[in-house]
């Protein structure tokens, strides 16, 4: 299928892109890597009259440290996230998630900001940014604002971004010494999207107890969520097999598990517990290294 006709705009600054969004309103769509939007346009599920291409706007991609935080530009590709030495050292959950996205073509073109703004319920990054306690920075006509990852994903393909806002960067706070992180997923065999994905960051104190935990879940429901029950079961407890199993049992709490061609509610509920246990075990093993 060919997309419906559209006008193409290539702004050279964020302000120019925002002006176009403000003027063209819901007739316009931002274009980043195109790996969610273009397929939707080809299926005519999206028929924007104007495309505003962000790829020629300088300063929107790259990974850097700012004080204690890590900052990832929205136009940074999945491959850049996957291969970043800085992220591998300081925030390995993101390279691990990025490396499991789709195939090399998708990872070379798709962007972290495009994925988060699209809010596909089976996307990988949403679980990771929730687990990490990241902030998503949006820029609009009134300037910049930071949105907590927990408050960003509102529902199926729906986020807290306003129609005239652009997601410009993702800010990840530093986690304490003794933290291990892992992302595990049960991938769809064709697309590699997450049937279930669990991101876990676990901090162990010197005595083997959990002092901090962040767990995000994607895939099974209509939006990514924080696994509050899992976190509450971990914090303050000795990080042994019994605690981890008890915590993993809480993974389905708060997830609006959906039945579809990939599995029933019962099956996905089971997968959530299994993949949560695996993510926690892997994170803990890394925390102890
Ligand atoms: C075959 C295939 C397999 C895939 N497998 C996976 C997978 O396993 N896991 C996974 O997570 N994803 C997967 N994806 C999706 C892929 O990761 C996309 O790249 C991603 O979802 C969208 O990023 P993009 O840069 O391509 O955005 P685009 O397609 O360009 O845009 C997507 C949406 O976000 C909006 N948008 C883009 N950038 C911004 C911004 N900075 N601010 C505000 N709005 C913005 C656009 O207007 C559009 O509505 C797959 C895609 C394909 C085609």
């Amino acid at each position: 299928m060919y997309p419906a006709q559209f006008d193409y705009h290539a702004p050279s600054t964020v302000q120019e892109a925002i002006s176009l969004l403000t003027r063209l309103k819901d007739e316009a769509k931002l274009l980043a890597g195109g790996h969610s939007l273009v397929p939707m346009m080809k299926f005519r599920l999206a028929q924007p009259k104007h495309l505003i291409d962000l790829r020629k706007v300088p300063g929107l991609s790259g990974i850097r440290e700012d004080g204690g935080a890590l900052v990832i530009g929205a136009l940074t590709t999945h491959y850049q996230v996957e291969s970043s030495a800085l992220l591998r050292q300081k925030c390995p959950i993101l390279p691990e998630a990025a490396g499991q996205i789709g195939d090399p073509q998708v990872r070379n073109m798709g962007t972290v900001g495009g994925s988060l703004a699209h809010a596909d319920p089976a996307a990988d990054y949403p679980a990771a940014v929730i687990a990490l306690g990241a902030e998503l920075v949006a820029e609009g006509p009134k300037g910049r604002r930071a949105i907590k990852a927990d408050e960003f994903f509102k529902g199926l393909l729906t986020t807290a971004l306003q129609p005239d806002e652009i997601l410009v960067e993702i800010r990840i706070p530093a986690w304490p010494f003794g933290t291990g992180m892992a992302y595990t997923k049960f991938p769809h065999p064709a697309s590699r999207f997450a049937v279930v994905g669990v991101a876990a960051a676990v901090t162990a104190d010197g005595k083997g107890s959990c002092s901090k935990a962040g767990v995000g879940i994607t895939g099974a429901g209509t939006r990514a969520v924080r696994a509050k029950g899992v976190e509450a079961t971990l914090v303050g407890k000795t990080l042994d097999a019994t605690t981890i199993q008890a915590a993993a049992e809480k993974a389905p709490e708060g997830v609006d598990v959906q039945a579809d061609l990939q599995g029933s509610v019962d099956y996905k509920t089971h997968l959530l517990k299994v993949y949560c246990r695996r993510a926690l075990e892997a994170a803990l093993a890394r925390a102890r290294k």
Side-chain angles (χ1 to χ4, degrees):
M1 287 270 292
Y2 293 102
Q5 275 204 337
F6 57 86
D7 286 341
Y8 174 81
H9 306 263
S12 52
T13 63
V14 173
Q15 286 69 30
E16 200 185 328
I18 292 168
S19 300
L20 282 162
L21 266 184
T22 310
R23 180 163 63 81
L24 300 167
K25 300 200 164 56
D26 53 8
E27 293 200 332
K29 276 270 179 203
L30 296 167
L31 176 71
H35 270 59
S36 291
L37 181 57
V38 173
M40 287 182 73
M41 290 171 65
K42 288 188 168 183
F43 284 120
R44 308 248 170 152
L45 295 170
Q47 298 192 27
K49 292 203 167 65
H50 300 269
L51 276 192
I52 304 170
D53 190 346
L54 292 175
R55 289 172 302 170
K56 295 195 173 78
V57 178
L60 282 181
S61 79
I63 301 161
R64 62 187 167 87
E65 274 186 294
D66 181 14
L70 292 162
V71 183
I72 305 174
L75 268 280
T76 307
T77 63
H78 307 328
Y79 173 71
Q80 288 172 312
V81 172
E82 177 189 359
S83 57
S84 160
L86 179 63
L87 289 179
R88 284 182 181 208
Q89 187 204 344
K90 300 217 163 164
C91 188
I93 204 170
L94 283 172
E96 193 166 22
Q100 296 182 53
I101 292 176
D103 51 45
Q105 286 86 348
V106 176
R107 295 197 290 276
N108 276 313
M109 291 297 292
T111 68
V112 60
S115 174
L116 293 167
H118 189 58
D120 190 301
D124 295 292
Y125 291 126
V129 294
I130 287 173
L132 292 165
E135 285 186 338
L136 282 61
V137 180
E139 187 164 341
K142 293 180 193 148
R144 287 190 171 201
R145 68 183 178 115
I147 307 164
K148 289 190 166 57
D150 287 41
E151 289 155 19
F152 188 79
F153 305 101
K154 296 293 186 194
L156 189 75
L157 307 181
T158 309
T159 70
L161 285 173
Q162 294 300 311
D164 55 4
E165 284 183 322
I166 296 174
L167 180 59
V168 288
E169 65 187 30
I170 295 94
R171 298 182 70 87
I172 298 150
W175 276 66
F177 179 79
T179 301
M181 300 177 178
Y183 179 70
T184 59
K185 81 165 169 179
F186 183 80
H188 183 283
S191 71
R192 317 306 291 169
F193 271 106
V195 175
V196 159
V198 181
V202 178
T203 310
D205 68 15
K207 296 170 191 152
S209 287
C210 177
S211 55
K212 184 174 176 184
V215 180
I217 286 181
T218 190
T222 54
R223 68 186 179 103
V225 292
R226 177 175 294 283
K228 292 180 185 161
V230 177
E231 295 174 356
T233 308
L234 291 170
V235 174
K237 309 275 172 29
T238 303
L239 285 164
D240 56 19
T242 309
T243 304
I244 286 183
Q245 185 59 46
E249 289 295 317
K250 307 263 184 192
E253 285 181 9
V255 183
D256 59 340
V257 181
Q258 304 289 309
D260 56 21
L261 287 175
Q262 275 90 62
S264 64
V265 169
D266 282 353
Y267 179 59
K268 290 189 183 179
T269 302
H270 172 70
L271 284 181
L272 279 171
K273 295 176 187 176
V274 171
Y275 279 81
C276 185
R277 178 177 52 73
R278 290 182 187 175
L280 293 175
E281 286 170 349
L284 184 56
R286 292 170 186 171
R288 285 182 173 143
K289 275 186 186 161

